[in-house]
Structures are given as C-alpha cells and as structure tokens.
Amino acid sequence: HSGIQRQVLSLYRSCLRAVKSKPAEFQQTMNDLARSEFKKHKAIPRTDVSRIEYLMRLGRKQLNRIMDENVSAVSSVTASERDKI
C-alpha cells in the first residue's frame, strides 16, 4: 500500500472506532454513513492526490465532530433533500 492508502485506511478505521463510543441506537446508522462515504469515493484514481487530500481533510473534520463527547448521532442529507429545504 502507498502512504496515502495507509492514511485513508487509518482514517476509515478511526471513524469506525469512534462510532463505538456513541449510543448503541445510533451506531449502525453512523457506521453505514461512514462506509457509504468511503465507498462513494473509492473509484478516485490514486494519481488524483489533491482530491484525495481534500477528502481526507473533510474526513478528519467529520471524525473530530464524531469524537466530540457532546455529539451522540449524525445524519446525512442528500442533495435532493437539501434542495427541498
């Protein structure tokens, strides 16, 4: 694995670990959300380093939010749902 692949895998594992500290009733939803975000971007070419680094920064911000002890759940809003607001 390349260095950036290791970083992505580390972020993914950290996200899944962080979810374990949240209330049980929200863990499955949070796990599903984390998995879907990583899967959504799985096809990004390894050579697109700037895009990968950008997504890594976003992912770290999300991880920090999840790790906040005051956060017990997260939600996801799709573009079509957001347009209705």
Side-chain angles (χ1 to χ4, degrees):
H1 294 291
S2 71
I4 201 147
Q5 280 179 300
R6 282 193 294 275
Q7 291 176 25
V8 170
L9 287 171
S10 176
L11 178 61
Y12 179 70
R13 289 184 194 117
S14 295
C15 289
L16 296 181
R17 273 195 236 69
V19 168
K20 291 180 182 180
S21 69
K22 300 304 172 185
E25 64 266 23
F26 300 115
Q27 288 182 10
Q28 186 62 50
T29 302
M30 294 173 82
N31 269 329
D32 292 345
L33 181 59
R35 284 189 179 108
S36 70
E37 284 299 310
F38 278 86
K39 280 184 179 183
K40 180 170 38 174
H41 301 291
K42 185 177 181 177
I44 295 174
R46 293 178 188 178
T47 55
D48 195 350
V49 176
S50 60
R51 186 169 175 203
I52 294 169
E53 288 175 344
Y54 169 74
L55 291 168
M56 289 286 295
R57 284 192 300 276
L58 288 180
R60 286 187 196 105
K61 286 180 184 179
Q62 280 293 94
L63 176 60
N64 288 334
R65 288 184 198 119
I66 292 170
M67 292 174 65
D68 185 330
E69 63 187 35
N70 296 315
V71 173
S72 61
V74 295
S75 64
S76 174
V77 177
T78 64
S80 62
E81 291 171 329
R82 188 176 46 241
D83 293 342
K84 293 177 186 176
I85 298 175

